[in-house]
Structure formats: structure tokens, C-alpha cells
Amino acid sequence: MCGIAGVLDLSGSPIALAELISMGAAIAHRGPDDEGYVAISRSSGTWNRVSGTRNAEFAANKADLGLAHRRLSIIDLSSNGHQPFVDPGGTCCIVINGEIYNYVELRAQLSAEAGIRFVTQTDTEVLVEAYKHWGEHCFSKLNGFWALALYDFRTRRLLLSRDRIGKKPLFWTRQGSKVYFASEIKALLQVPEVYRARKVNRRVAATWLVYGKKDLDQDTFFDGIQAVPPASFVYVDGDLHGKEQRYWSLPGERLSEKSLAPHEAAIHLRDLLESAVALRLRSDVPVAVELSGGLDSSTLAAFSAKISSQPVSAYTVRFPQKEWNEEPFAAMVASALKLDYHVIDAPTADIWVDILLFTYLEEEPYHSPNLYTNQAVWAQMRAEGFKVSVNGAGGDEVLAGYGQYYGACQRELLLQGRVREYMSNAIHHTESSGRVQPFISPLPRLLGITRSRPKYPALAPLATKLHQPSLLSKLLVSDMTRTLMPYWMTSGDRGFMGVPLEVRAPFLDYRVLEFAFQLPIQYLIRDGWHKWILRKAMHGMVPEEILWRRRKLGFPFPIEHFYSSHADILEVIYANVDNPFVAIPRSASARCDWKLISFLLWYELFFNENYRLFEKISAMAFAGGVRNGSPANPAFLSSFPGARALGAVQ
């Protein structure tokens, strides 16, 4: 769990050490435990570890490839985990951001099959040896998450790769003959040439403002800066776009009930999740669990308590508003499982104090100030000695937990002729308040009737055309691969790596995904219950009050209260922005739109460099009684060199 950056000059000309070090400094918050730089000359096949004091030697070597790494130590805390890592034979050099959970099993397999003798206890060395033994096929054998750059001295080629779901980001851009890549966009912006050339990607901006969607097609809000696609690898030999090779995809077909009985499905899902949690408890540092009181986090807490030989520490957020507070449910789970239970009071207002650096940390617009609240949980965990958190991310997207999946499921049932199941879902639907609505709400889209009108219709022609699938099977695939999960992964990574903390998500274990995406849809929403199969699987392990809750929130956020409490700050924002893409709305309801607010703040920081606006906001927050002095402050607030350098890049 770290940060990586690099530059390759395709023409063979020497690269600048200063650029590489600046890129590494911009992501220092991701890895406070160690840093490293390697300079490689592809023509001579030589390499050197470098630092700022060895600039002359670096230039003399005429290195045309540089790799940077910032380390958050999780596995093998010794200096053996230092990166960039070069194998003992000098065959490969790698920098990786991520974790290979099954490195113990792969290590044993490689030793048995190829007689490989390992010199460290790191998952990094296992990955390098796996690549040397299996080549590109190694990625399909890894269970974990990663973004990596690997240089093969034998072929003189640089390889970039990301994990199956894209939990770890990897951005790249090209300027002339040089290709730059990094874990965060802000590292790329440290390169003066990239910073001067920055432009807004108008299509991405329009899609965000009109539909509230981003991270759709590997494009970012910065024109010319893209992400390496998930579940792929690519060789850096020019423009990378379109040259990626996929090594994994979700299953394309679902099984029938005749092929897989409900009780068999429940047992297998439970076994897979238990195995996924067990792998994610593998760590050389303390691990905690995030507990919201909902089904997903309670499931992971239950498995953690079963597997761990020590009491499991769990953290939850408490809100003062009763209708938003799920802490009593989390407390119930903690008591039943005998967890070491910690409660954090949500610091919802503190975001205004930190708005400059948090806007810079996220580096693109984001959907809700709830991301700041989430980070407060991670920061408290880190302050109390934890470096790893087990998180319920993905449960809703994998097992159809969101209310929006109801209509898609019902339409698919009708098209399959399964009227009895349709009626049972409608009669008992747990997410609906009225009796008639569950019967009729799925029908308009089935009949081709749509009534939605996009926001900012003038921008609609510029936006990516979004056609959400009408049926559940295809909608879940779309949300996992394009419309939801890429955004959750990227925005979440920026938040928890700003602490920094490694967040592990067992529901996104590829074995769980492959099984869940073959389940009949009748096992996902059944008798009106979303995630029905998970409820069946966890019978006897999770309290019944949690297992069959009709309403869930999951680390919620009182957004309406937030807007009303800070209307004065919102007015200051709207009065002090200059944005060429969108007109400021007049109505109070339209102004209470965080997607718009975050877009305006992003533009003011990264393009208008309007630091005075951010100073005003922070001053108002302090004057209003907000104080940010917690010992749980995340690293990016106090040691974020990229933020200080932002205004200095010319």
C-alpha cells in the first residue's frame, strides 16, 4: 500500500531527476515509512539508486527511465521491503502500490514448481518471481489489488498493470517523447510542462454536471491525463491508449436455479467470504474493521471475530441526528461478537477548515462531503495504531443492495415470465413505503417510457451518452465496471491514502465476484429482500435484528442539515467563483448540489488558483466555532508537500 511514480523518455534522452523527486514528494502522504528512486539506462542496461544529492551522477548515467516509490509498510516491515525492488539476478525492477494477499500460497507454488529461493518475506518479491516464471499470465494468479510498473531488463520494456477492479489507481500522460505515470494526478502536475499544458476535459466536466458520473472511460477531468484501465496491462512504447490487454472479465452469463440450489449458493458464498476475510487479515501490522451496523460490515466483522485469535477492533461513526445515526445497530453487533468497540463523532463541519487541502487531495470533483467523514474514521484508526482496515465496499454493487436495483430486477423477472416472483417482491419489498408503487414503478422503462430531464441541458450535447441497462444482470455489470465502482475506488483511494491507511474489501475478492455474477437474479432480490442470498448465508452468524433490517444507511451523512448549517459559506463560494462551464443556479435547492460545489472549488484551485476564496472559507469556519485540532489528523493536512508546491509551479 504505497504510492508510485515514473517517467520514461521514449527517445532515449536523459530524464530530469528533479522532476522525478517532485513527483514522489507530491504523493509523500501515501507512504511516510520509506522512499526510493531508481534511474535506469535502457541502452546500457544499468541502473542506480539515486537521491537529490546524486543529481550529477544521475545525469552522467544518461538514464532515460526513472521510478519513484513511497512506502506504507504492511508486509515485511524490514528494509527488505524497500522499493524500487530489483531481484537478485538484476532481471526486473518494480514499484508497486497494493497488496498481494495470496503471496504465501504463490511463494510455496513457485518454490515447488521452479525451485525458486526467496531472499525476503515480501509479497513484492513473490510478484516479481511470478512474472519471471509465468510472464503476463501471472496477473490472473494474483489475489489482491495493485497498480505497478515493472521494467524487464531482458526485453528492455516497461510494463504497467492494474488489479481486476481498479482498486489502485494509475494515471499517465505524455508530453513530447516523455511518458509520465503516477498513483495520483497531482504527481503528474508537478512536472512544469504538464502543469502548463493543463486543460479541462470538457466531455468529462459535462458528464459530471449533467449526469453526476465520472471515471467512465479512463478519462479524467484533466484533458490528456488518463488512467490505465483495470484488469489490464500495457507496455509503454508510445501512446498507451487503446493498447491495453485485458487479463480478466466478469462472467457473462448467470446460472439457473436448477444448476445451483439456494442452500448450495448460500453455503458457497459464505465459504468464499470467509476465505476472502481470512486473506485480508494477513498482515504484519494491526488490522481493524469498519462497522456501520449494516449487513455488509456486520458480515465482515462476524468473520473477522471467528477467524482472529485476538479481540477484533471495530470503529463506527455517530451522528447527532437520530434519523442518520446507525451507531445503536453497530453497538448491537459489537456486543454480540464481543468486539473491541470504538465510536467516533462525525466531524462534518471540519471539512471547511481543510477545504483547500481536501480539494487538492481529491484532485477531481467528488459527490459528497461524506468522503471527509469517511476519512475521519480512517484517521482515528490510524491515530490509535491501525494501518489496515477491513471495509464493506462492494457489497451493494455485487449483491444488488441498492434500492435502484429493484426495478431492474422486476423487469428482468417479467421478461423471464416469472410473474410469481415479481408479485412476491412487489408485495413484500422492504425498500418501498407505499403499497402500489412497488407494482408499477418498474413498468415505465419496460414500456420504453422515460421522464428524466438532465441537469444543465445546455451541456448535455457535450456529455458522454449514458444508457443505463434496464435489466438487473446487465446493470450490475455496468455499475461494477463503468458507472459506479471505478468512481468509488478512485475517490476512496485518495481519501484513505491521505491518512494513510490500507483499506481491504473482501466483497471485491475476485472469487466472490466471479461467483456472485453467476448467481440467478432471484437469489439477489427475493420476497422483497435485497441481498437475500447474503442474509441466508449469514444466518446464525449475525444478529437477526441486523440480518433482517428493513432500512439501512451505511456510514450515512445528514446532507440537508449540512447545507442549511453552512448556507453562508455556500453563498461566499457562489459569489467568488469564475467558471466558464456552468452558470450559477439561482434557486436555493439547485445551489445545494455538492457535485456542482465540488466542481466549482476544483476549478478555482487547479485553474484559477483562487487561494483567497479558500482562505475566506477556512476563516469563516474558524469564526463559526469549528476547530480542527484532533490528534487523528490525517497526514495530508500537516505533511503534504504537493499542496505547498502547487502555487509555485510555473
Side-chain angles (χ1 to χ4, degrees):
M1 201 51 152
C2 309
I4 66 174
V7 54
L8 171 63
D9 194 309
L10 298 168
S11 71
S13 299
I15 57 173
L17 174 63
E19 288 185 349
L20 187 65
I21 290 179
S22 293
M23 292 170 71
I27 53 175
H29 55 283
R30 299 181 69 94
D33 297 332
D34 191 16
E35 66 176 307
Y37 303 88
V38 159
I40 297 172
S41 171
R42 292 183 299 156
S43 59
S44 66
T46 59
W47 62 276
N48 287 286
R49 299 195 185 277
V50 297
S51 66
T53 61
R54 298 174 61 185
N55 195 19
E57 180 183 345
F58 183 88
N61 288 336
K62 297 183 178 179
D64 55 354
L65 169 62
L67 301 175
H69 188 265
R70 305 294 302 221
R71 185 186 183 198
L72 177 64
S73 304
I74 303 294
I75 300 294
D76 191 343
L77 309 184
S78 73
S79 59
N80 288 332
H82 178 80
Q83 293 187 43
F85 176 84
V86 180
D87 68 302
T91 301
C92 297
C93 178
I94 190 173
V95 287
I96 178 173
N97 168 28
E99 208 76 66
I100 309 303
Y101 300 128
N102 64 334
Y103 77 100
V104 174
E105 292 77 10
L106 288 175
R107 179 189 178 103
Q109 184 178 355
L110 289 165
S111 296
E113 287 185 9
I116 297 172
R117 299 179 64 182
F118 291 87
V119 298
T120 77
Q121 298 297 315
T122 66
D123 56 338
T124 304
E125 184 184 14
V126 171
L127 196 158
V128 170
E129 295 300 333
Y131 167 79
K132 289 163 60 178
H133 184 60
W134 290 305
E136 300 152 351
H137 297 293
C138 72
F139 299 122
S140 63
K141 298 179 180 293
L142 306 180
N143 189 334
F145 59 96
W146 65 87
L148 63 83
L150 184 150
Y151 182 72
D152 191 328
F153 285 93
R154 301 166 300 182
T155 62
R156 299 185 180 182
R157 302 181 79 186
L158 177 67
L159 175 71
L160 305 181
S161 176
R162 285 179 74 195
D163 62 79
R164 294 172 179 84
I165 297 301
K167 193 166 186 292
K168 289 288 97 180
L170 186 58
F171 301 99
W172 69 274
T173 190
R174 181 170 179 176
Q175 291 290 325
S177 61
K178 292 188 283 292
V179 176
Y180 300 91
F181 55 90
S183 297
E184 297 185 20
I185 295 171
K186 59 181 64 67
L188 303 179
L189 295 177
Q190 295 305 304
V191 179
E193 192 176 2
V194 175
Y195 190 79
R196 287 193 296 266
R198 72 195 188 285
K199 294 189 300 183
V200 175
N201 187 318
R202 297 176 64 86
R203 182 179 62 83
V204 172
T207 304
W208 176 254
L209 293 168
V210 174
Y211 299 111
K213 299 292 184 182
K214 64 182 285 287
D215 298 304
L216 294 173
D217 302 305
Q218 320 316 321
D219 288 333
T220 73
F221 276 81
F222 295 88
D223 193 34
I225 296 179
Q226 295 178 300
V228 175
S232 71
F233 61 86
V234 61
Y235 287 100
V236 183
D237 55 8
D239 188 18
L240 308 186
H241 187 62
K243 296 181 180 180
E244 308 90 353
Q245 301 179 58
R246 292 190 64 85
Y247 60 84
W248 182 83
S249 297
L250 288 171
E253 299 291 336
R254 289 186 177 268
L255 300 171
S256 68
E257 288 184 90
K258 293 181 180 179
S259 303
L260 183 67
H263 71 279
E264 295 173 332
I267 291 172
H268 191 53
L269 177 62
R270 184 175 62 204
D271 290 344
L272 286 175
L273 283 171
E274 182 170 355
S275 175
V277 172
L279 280 180
R280 284 157 182 80
L281 293 179
R282 184 175 279 173
S283 171
D284 292 336
V285 296
V287 180
V289 175
E290 296 173 44
L291 183 62
S292 69
L295 178 59
D296 297 341
S297 64
S298 299
T299 292
L300 303 183
F303 283 128
S304 298
K306 177 183 177 182
I307 296 166
S308 178
S309 59
Q310 301 293 327
V312 173
S313 294
Y315 286 77
T316 197
V317 176
R318 176 170 53 204
F319 288 94
Q321 300 85 3
K322 183 177 180 181
E323 66 274 20
W324 289 100
N325 186 33
E326 287 200 304
E327 191 274 329
F329 294 102
M332 181 190 305
V333 175
S335 176
L337 299 177
K338 296 180 173 55
L339 305 178
D340 176 23
Y341 185 54
H342 305 256
V343 179
I344 301 170
D345 289 308
T348 56
D350 281 7
I351 187 173
W352 296 123
V353 176
D354 303 323
I355 192 64
L356 169 64
L357 291 184
F358 197 74
T359 300
Y360 187 54
L361 176 69
E362 282 295 320
E363 68 191 14
E364 292 185 285
Y366 54 100
H367 77 292
S368 170
N370 193 27
L371 295 187
Y372 185 89
T373 304
N374 291 343
Q375 191 182 70
V377 180
W378 297 321
Q380 189 67 39
M381 288 179 174
R382 183 63 195 270
E384 296 183 12
F386 295 96
K387 277 183 153 182
V388 176
S389 169
V390 177
N391 176 287
D396 288 315
E397 292 83 357
V398 173
L399 297 169
Y402 295 133
Q404 68 199 47
Y405 293 134
Y406 170 76
C409 178
Q410 293 293 77
R411 288 187 287 272
E412 190 160 349
L413 289 174
L414 283 181
L415 290 178
Q416 293 176 356
R418 306 183 73 101
V419 178
R420 185 178 66 178
E421 289 89 341
Y422 180 96
M423 296 298 293
S424 179
N425 279 339
I427 292 170
H428 303 292
H429 191 226
T430 60
E431 301 287 328
S432 299
S433 55
R435 294 189 175 184
V436 177
Q437 186 264 345
F439 288 90
I440 64 174
S441 62
L443 299 180
R445 285 205 66 187
L446 188 64
L447 300 173
I449 301 172
T450 58
R451 300 177 181 175
S452 61
R453 176 179 171 83
K455 293 182 178 180
Y456 311 107
L459 293 174
L462 294 174
T464 300
K465 303 302 179 185
L466 293 182
H467 300 287
Q468 286 287 78
S470 176
L471 306 183
L472 181 59
S473 296
K474 294 187 181 298
L475 179 57
L476 287 170
V477 172
S478 175
D479 282 351
M480 180 58 62
T481 60
R482 188 168 187 256
T483 52
L484 279 184
M485 193 53 62
Y487 169 74
W488 296 136
M489 294 295 95
T490 303
S491 60
D493 176 85
R494 289 163 177 155
F496 54 70
M497 290 310 294
V499 172
L501 187 86
E502 177 174 310
V503 174
R504 299 175 171 181
F507 281 102
L508 295 178
D509 186 300
Y510 79 94
R511 300 167 302 166
V512 175
L513 292 176
E514 290 177 347
F515 179 66
F517 276 80
Q518 294 183 75
L519 287 172
I521 64 165
Q522 297 88 343
Y523 294 178
L524 303 181
I525 302 178
R526 193 181 185 106
D527 297 330
W529 291 97
H530 290 248
K531 293 191 285 197
W532 177 85
I533 192 66
L534 180 60
R535 299 175 196 274
K536 288 294 184 180
M538 296 308 295
H539 178 72
M541 293 193 66
V542 171
E544 290 290 304
E545 297 89 339
I546 302 299
L547 203 60
W548 300 104
R549 276 185 66 189
R550 295 181 63 87
R551 180 174 179 265
K552 61 119 180 150
L553 296 174
F555 283 142
F557 188 84
I559 189 67
E560 298 302 328
H561 177 77
F562 177 81
Y563 288 140
S564 62
S565 300
H566 305 289
D568 55 342
I569 290 179
L570 297 184
E571 289 305 311
V572 166
I573 293 173
Y574 285 123
N576 289 272
V577 298
D578 180 14
N579 193 285
F581 296 95
V582 59
I584 305 302
R586 295 182 179 180
S587 70
S589 60
R591 288 179 172 227
C592 294
D593 177 1
W594 191 264
K595 293 183 178 68
L596 170 62
I597 295 166
S598 68
F599 176 77
L600 296 174
L601 291 172
W602 168 78
Y603 190 84
E604 290 303 310
L605 179 57
F606 285 95
F607 290 88
N608 289 345
E609 298 181 346
N610 186 0
Y611 299 105
R612 182 168 297 180
L613 169 61
F614 293 92
E615 291 171 359
K616 286 183 179 179
I617 295 172
S618 294
M620 291 179 67
F622 273 118
V626 173
R627 295 291 183 271
N628 190 308
S630 166
N633 279 349
F636 81 95
L637 295 178
S638 58
S639 58
F640 203 1
R644 294 193 295 273
L646 179 63
V649 177
Q650 300 296 328

